[in-house]
Structure formats: structure tokens, C-alpha cells
Amino acid sequence: SGPAIEPAVLKRIFEPLQRGTSNAAANDAGFGLGLYIASEIAKAHGGELTVTSDEQQTVFVARLPRLG
């Protein structure tokens, strides 16, 4: 729950050193690498990490190829 992630932020959310614009993000001690690293891990395994966000919810989806 919470406010939707702005479209301009969504476009760059998986880039390194990117952080949200909310007060919570401004006070966070993180480096802005978590989503970048998660996305790179998904890519390294032939998959992808995506995000959608609206007033109802924000959803991150990891898609990885199935072996076998």
C-alpha cells in the first residue's frame, strides 16, 4: 500500500543509484542498488524483473526461464 510510484521514477527504477522521491526514501540509509542488483541477477539467469504501480498497488514480478 502507499502512493503510486511516479512514471518518471518507474522508467529508471532498475538503474543503479536510483532512489524514490518520498520522504521515506530520503531518510533511508540504502545506496539505491537493491533493485538494480535484483534486476541484474534476473537478467544473468535469462529472465527479467518488472514493476507496475498505481493507486491500488505496486507489483514487482520476477520472471525466470524454466529448466527442463
Side-chain angles (χ1 to χ4, degrees):
S1 65
I5 299 172
E6 298 173 17
V9 175
L10 283 176
K11 289 181 182 180
R12 57 184 170 74
I13 200 163
F14 297 114
E15 294 176 11
L17 307 176
Q18 295 300 311
R19 308 212 17 197
T21 57
S22 71
N23 287 338
N27 294 328
D28 186 14
F31 293 108
L33 293 173
L35 290 173
Y36 168 72
I37 291 169
S39 177
E40 291 299 304
I41 290 170
K43 288 178 192 175
H45 290 279
E48 68 178 345
L49 186 60
T50 60
V51 61
T52 57
S53 184
D54 61 27
E55 295 78 25
Q56 300 289 324
Q57 63 185 355
T58 296
V59 177
F60 288 87
V61 176
R63 290 186 174 86
L64 299 170
R66 187 174 172 171
L67 296 178

